[in-house]
Amino acid sequence: MRILVLHRVPYPKIAYHRGIDHELHDVTYFGRRAALDTLPDGLRCERVERPGLRSPYDEARAWLDAEPRGFDRVISMSEYELLDAARLRADLGVEGATVEQVELARDKVLMKRAVAAAGLRVPRFLPVEEFLASGGASPWTGRTVLKPHRGASSVDVVVFDSAAEAHAALIGRRTGVASIDEDGRGLPDHEVEEFVEGPILHFDGLVERGSVLTLGAAEYVGTCLAYAQGAPMGSFQREVTDTLADWVAAALAAVRIENGSFHLEAILDEFGPVFLEVGNRVGGADVVDTFELATGVHLPSFELRVLVGGSVAGTLPPPPAERGWYGWFVHPGHHLGAGVFEGFDGAGPFRSDPRTVTWHELPAGAPLPDHITYGAHETALAGIVGTDSPEETRDWLTRLFASLSLRTSAPHARVPDPVA
């Protein structure tokens, strides 16, 4: 096959060679220079650099108009470029998820409407423009979340104490979201929804032709929003009941996620799960690695096999003989602004704990990240822990977060080169 990959996620996070035979297929990686530089030396493939000044779709169209060619598959493993890949598939007549399907699994308003129509619970919500047109009238009055339709990593997510406070902030252009407060251009891209109390779960797995082949569940310690604001976070694996498995299958069917990996988030209240959002992609941070440790399944590899057209049902590896319960953890540094990482106080006992599977800490003297990231080797700390029970993993993460104290220093001034 001729396979076009819109390449954004660093190669080691996906390990494309585990899912695509590069000797059998002709694979073209299309991406910015920084992404292409993550491709391993010696990989049989074509590398095409795009400028990165316009959307991947627009730049791919310009490239293909200048150098016409056909492809049998167009793939993206990045949430941010799934729609670009779908548009290219439509132009080139290539099979795969359609633009409509990708929109349904990318837009939080569309997906909640579809899930609610399937009879599953979702937070009550309104597009911002409807909320404003109603004068702030909403089916709820309590805590209210403002969020982008297609955002990620809790960027531009704001929680207000009430719907009235959210309305006043929107009217007064003081939400804290630049695209809303500066000129209002971002209003159509946002929604408001009621704040639902309860533990937040994420479900991860693989679906092929609408059937869920493997499924895992985990519960967050901390939240993505708190992480964006500077608090550590992680998650610990927990049991998947038959009831939860049926609920996940129904939610996926509602949003027409039929092939590939998925990352679905829900809040568990006293009546059961409340749908939050879903992506037709693998989860971030160390979700992929903890899933593989627990199940033996490397999600990106099997997703690629599905997307290339091979059936993987019945071919998944068996889980490890002894069940471990894993959790991942990340500690941010982006919230501290320009600065230099100098280490952690309180990390020693956890760094040397035999239950610690991986521990990636920035080297002392390294600059802190200037953007929200969950990636190992980018954020201040990222790693994995494995224990004998969900409760033990949860408690380990809780103690870690309570113990850590990040030390920083001012950026090192550059010493000018001596004048000859």
Side-chain angles (χ1 to χ4, degrees):
M1 283 187 177
R2 295 162 299 172
I3 301 171
L4 174 62
V5 176
L6 300 187
H7 183 44
R8 175 170 176 149
V9 181
Y11 189 96
K13 293 290 292 184
I14 303 298
Y16 287 91
H17 61 279
R18 295 181 63 179
I20 299 176
D21 185 337
H22 286 65
E23 297 300 320
L24 176 64
H25 302 296
D26 294 325
V27 185
T28 299
Y29 289 91
F30 182 81
R32 298 179 184 179
R33 172 49 50 193
L36 295 178
D37 284 345
T38 68
L39 295 171
D41 293 337
L43 184 71
R44 180 183 176 273
C45 66
E46 179 185 19
R47 297 163 168 85
V48 178
E49 181 179 353
R50 71 180 185 90
L53 302 177
R54 296 183 291 163
S55 72
Y57 170 79
D58 288 335
E59 293 187 346
R61 284 297 332 172
W63 165 57
L64 291 172
D65 288 343
E67 301 180 32
R69 64 179 77 184
F71 290 96
D72 301 298
R73 294 290 186 274
V74 179
I75 293 170
S76 171
M77 300 295 280
S78 167
E79 179 173 24
Y80 297 101
E81 298 183 359
L82 292 174
L83 188 55
D84 297 279
R87 294 177 66 190
L88 283 171
R89 284 194 292 269
D91 288 355
L92 300 174
V94 175
E95 70 175 74
T98 65
V99 170
E100 180 184 14
Q101 284 177 286
V102 173
E103 289 272 13
L104 194 54
R106 284 284 289 127
D107 188 293
K108 294 178 176 60
V109 167
L110 296 179
M111 67 176 69
K112 283 199 287 287
R113 284 175 177 163
V115 171
L120 306 180
R121 290 193 302 147
V122 303
R124 290 173 291 182
F125 68 96
L126 288 169
V128 161
E129 290 182 310
E130 288 186 27
F131 182 59
L132 292 176
S134 71
S138 64
W140 71 94
T141 57
R143 297 180 73 189
T144 299
V145 184
L146 170 69
K147 62 172 64 173
H149 287 195
R150 298 181 181 180
S153 302
S154 289
V155 175
D156 288 341
V157 174
V158 186
V159 180
F160 299 94
D161 288 336
S162 66
E165 183 180 315
H167 181 256
L170 286 163
I171 292 295
R173 299 285 173 85
R174 48 182 174 78
T175 64
V177 178
S179 66
I180 292 177
D181 297 344
E182 291 174 0
D183 55 15
R185 70 184 187 283
L187 285 172
D189 302 323
H190 287 74
E191 58 144 339
V192 290
E193 67 182 39
E194 65 174 328
F195 186 94
V196 179
E197 296 279 359
I200 304 175
L201 309 185
H202 63 84
F203 300 93
D204 300 273
L206 183 73
V207 60
E208 180 181 32
R209 297 186 180 91
S211 296
V212 178
L213 304 184
T214 181
L215 172 65
E219 181 177 328
Y220 284 111
V221 178
T223 67
C224 295
L225 178 58
Y227 183 83
Q229 297 169 344
M233 73 172 296
S235 77
F236 63 94
Q237 294 169 340
R238 51 179 286 170
E239 290 278 8
V240 182
T241 65
D242 290 342
T243 299
L244 285 175
D246 290 343
W247 181 88
V248 169
L252 294 175
V255 297
R256 297 181 60 197
I257 291 180
E258 298 171 352
N259 290 292
S261 298
F262 60 86
H263 179 73
L264 188 161
E265 296 186 347
I267 291 178
L268 196 61
D269 69 9
E270 58 183 316
F271 303 108
V274 179
F275 176 91
L276 283 182
E277 59 186 71
V278 66
N280 194 177
R281 57 164 178 86
V282 297
D286 280 320
V287 167
V288 168
D289 289 341
T290 51
F291 192 95
E292 184 175 13
L293 285 166
T295 66
V297 177
H298 183 250
L299 287 173
S301 300
F302 285 95
E303 174 173 13
L304 287 168
R305 295 178 199 182
V306 170
L307 297 181
V308 169
S311 176
V312 303
T315 70
L316 300 184
E322 294 187 13
R323 174 63 155 107
W325 297 92
Y326 298 92
W328 55 266
F329 53 89
V330 285
H331 194 295
H334 63 270
H335 60 295
L336 298 172
V340 173
F341 176 77
E342 296 296 352
F344 283 104
D345 293 325
F350 299 92
R351 190 186 293 115
S352 60
D353 192 317
R355 293 169 293 185
T356 301
V357 179
T358 63
W359 182 282
H360 300 292
E361 184 177 333
L362 283 180
L368 292 167
D370 61 0
H371 61 285
I372 297 175
T373 175
Y374 300 97
H377 311 292
E378 289 186 298
T379 192
L381 173 67
I384 296 171
V385 60
T387 79
D388 294 329
S389 71
E391 295 77 17
E392 185 181 354
T393 304
R394 177 198 61 205
D395 293 346
W396 192 98
L397 293 174
T398 302
R399 291 195 307 274
L400 171 70
F401 296 162
S403 300
L404 291 178
S405 178
L406 191 155
R407 289 181 280 108
T408 66
S409 63
H412 302 312
R414 182 182 181 274
V415 178
D417 296 330
V419 178

